[in-house]
Amino acid sequence: MPSSSETTLTEARSGARVSMLQPGATIGIVGGGQLGRMMALSARYHGFKVGVLDPTPDCPTGQVADFQIVAAYDSKAAIRELAERSDVITYEFENVDADALDEVRDIVAVPQGTDLLRVTQDRVHEKRFINDHGTDTAPWRAVDDYAGLLRALGEIGYPAVLKTRTGGYDGHGQKVLRTADDLDEVRQQNEAEGFFPPSILEGFVDFAFEASILISGNGHEFVTFPIVRNEHRNNILHLTLAPATVSTKVAQEAEALALRLAQGFDLAGTLAIELFITKDDRVIVNELAPRPHNSGHYTIEACSIDQFDAHVRGIAGWPLPKPRLLSPAVMVNVLGQHVMPTRALIGEHPEWCLHDYGKAEIKHDRKMGHITVLTADISTTVSDLEATGCWDDLS
């Protein structure tokens, strides 16, 4: 049983959104990676206790939590145990069993709800939700078989990208179609496997750059963070530049669409919205992430309130102050191959705000940490980071 007040516990067990969670209550997190770790640290600053469900013993979140349940994410027994020991449950990634969460909402509050999960777990549902809320996406078609792919490609044309409807991250579960040869590879794979996974075909967007915006809510009020520019390499986020240099029109549209989507979800917690900014200043939504996001890590040092504090306050039903950018910043990911080079240079770079995620095994292309640099000159800072040679493998 959580060691919170009886009033808070009663509210949580009613399944309703907690109006104001008090310090001393327990937040249960499904998923024990770096996002959960930073959520947990924020929760501790706010006076909450933390439990985590993750299959890896001593996972990054488990290292800073009050307790860890070591079990598979989709274990209904484990989710029930987490619910029984928590006042609210949140999640750090999309691939959570929404049905399992629904089954425990009679004993614990799930402020983010499960509609948000179900929409963001399925790319077709996600695109439809975005479009239904007055927001542009790339042209898309649902594809259920190879014949459907041919029809969709006839309407959208080359180039296009074929993505599985569910799962996939950092480029996994995707196939770029530029020519008939690429299409033939899909056909051959389909015939070899005897199965065509439910998919979506998306047309390419001729964008100037990629961006993102974060919005946080407590179910009825919402606040946005600055729009930032993102640079990906090998389908993994490499750099985030905060703020993005954009026109007033783009900044206003990004904030407006974020608000529309947040209101559509009655958002509690933080939502990340990945964007394409076109050369003629159109703002197109690429994907949604129903939780804090890699591109928002700069907020820890650079903003008056960071994305994790806003998430925790939102799911706890606390009021949300409007985030202010205190300094421009550059955030760079530290992947497995960058760990030793960056560690070797820590003593030479006092300006580096280094975050290590505490992962036991270093792997190539695995996100092991990040570095944020507060700066008055973003361009020079990017050049200085690249000049260290730590990220030469990505050039």
Side-chain angles (χ1 to χ4, degrees):
M1 298 284 289
S3 57
S4 57
S5 68
E6 187 63 32
T7 300
T8 298
L9 184 60
T10 301
E11 289 174 337
R13 292 195 180 283
S14 73
R17 180 168 288 146
V18 177
S19 58
M20 184 73 71
L21 200 66
Q22 296 298 309
T26 299
I27 295 176
I29 303 173
V30 181
Q34 65 267 19
L35 297 178
R37 180 187 182 94
M38 289 181 272
M39 279 185 203
L41 291 170
S42 175
R44 282 190 171 280
Y45 284 132
H46 287 79
F48 298 119
K49 293 183 171 63
V50 178
V52 60
L53 167 61
D54 193 276
T56 303
D58 197 37
C59 63
T61 309
Q63 295 166 18
V64 298
D66 293 278
F67 66 88
Q68 179 180 351
I69 299 169
V70 180
Y73 301 123
D74 59 356
S75 168
K76 292 188 176 182
I79 288 177
R80 179 161 290 274
E81 180 183 350
L82 183 66
E84 290 171 345
R85 299 175 67 179
S86 304
D87 292 294
V88 299
I89 284 182
T90 186
Y91 38 82
E92 68 141 14
F93 63 102
E94 295 90 307
N95 296 321
V96 179
D97 188 335
D99 290 338
L101 287 183
D102 279 338
E103 289 179 12
V104 298
R105 290 177 76 174
D106 61 330
I107 62 172
V108 70
V110 185
Q112 292 161 280
T114 51
D115 288 346
L116 178 61
L117 269 181
R118 289 189 170 91
V119 167
T120 55
Q121 284 174 345
D122 186 308
R123 289 188 170 94
V124 169
H125 295 333
E126 182 177 79
K127 288 290 193 295
R128 187 171 291 129
F129 181 91
I130 294 167
N131 293 157
D132 287 349
H133 285 80
T135 303
D136 289 340
T137 61
W140 62 273
R141 299 290 186 274
V143 175
D144 295 320
D145 51 32
Y146 186 74
L149 173 58
L150 293 178
R151 289 193 297 272
L153 194 57
E155 296 174 4
I156 291 176
Y158 293 110
V161 58
L162 182 66
K163 303 179 181 179
T164 55
R165 283 182 62 158
T166 61
Y169 64 94
D170 290 343
H172 297 285
Q174 301 183 18
K175 171 68 174 176
V176 176
L177 305 179
R178 299 183 185 278
T179 67
D181 290 340
D182 297 324
L183 180 62
D184 195 53
E185 288 181 15
V186 174
R187 179 190 60 77
Q188 292 178 35
Q189 182 177 358
N190 179 213
E191 291 177 351
E193 296 177 351
F195 173 70
F196 195 103
S199 302
I200 183 172
L201 185 73
E202 298 178 14
F204 266 43
V205 174
D206 184 20
F207 59 86
F209 61 91
E210 296 177 79
S212 59
I213 188 169
L214 303 174
I215 186 165
S216 300
N218 60 13
H220 59 87
E221 63 178 3
F222 312 98
V223 295
T224 56
F225 289 82
I227 183 173
V228 297
R229 179 169 178 153
N230 299 320
E231 180 182 329
H232 292 79
R233 297 186 185 174
N234 301 324
N235 295 310
I236 301 173
L237 181 64
H238 173 47
L239 291 170
T240 293
L241 314 180
T245 302
V246 296
S247 66
T248 301
K249 172 188 173 185
V250 166
Q252 291 176 342
E253 173 55 20
E255 184 169 3
L257 70 84
L259 184 59
R260 291 196 298 270
L261 296 175
Q263 290 172 333
F265 287 121
D266 293 330
L267 179 69
T270 294
L271 172 71
I273 305 169
E274 297 180 34
L275 306 168
F276 295 129
I277 310 301
T278 67
K279 296 171 184 176
D280 59 351
D281 272 2
R282 291 178 61 214
V283 182
I284 296 173
V285 174
N286 180 28
E287 292 184 348
L288 306 178
R291 34 92 179 153
H293 192 258
N294 194 171
S295 69
H297 292 345
Y298 78 95
T299 62
I300 297 172
E301 284 85 19
C303 290
S304 56
I305 179 174
D306 70 55
Q307 64 168 342
F308 300 99
D309 287 345
H311 182 81
V312 168
R313 291 177 70 98
I315 64 172
W318 290 19
L320 292 167
K322 172 66 177 175
R324 290 182 293 113
L325 184 68
L326 304 178
S327 169
V330 176
M331 189 285 302
V332 57
N333 270 329
V334 176
L335 306 182
Q337 61 269 34
H338 310 139
V339 170
M340 299 315 295
T342 53
R343 286 181 180 176
L345 293 180
I346 289 174
E348 300 177 23
H349 292 281
E351 76 279 10
W352 286 4
C353 300
L354 176 66
H355 295 254
D356 187 281
Y357 301 151
K359 295 182 179 179
E361 186 177 2
I362 298 174
K363 295 181 180 179
H364 189 89
D365 280 353
R366 187 184 196 192
K367 294 172 184 174
M368 303 297 299
H370 71 268
I371 291 169
T372 299
V373 181
L374 304 182
T375 178
D377 188 334
I378 286 177
S379 178
T380 297
T381 297
V382 170
S383 297
D384 289 345
L385 286 166
E386 300 294 0
T388 66
C390 293
W391 293 272
D392 282 355
D393 68 296
L394 298 179
S395 59

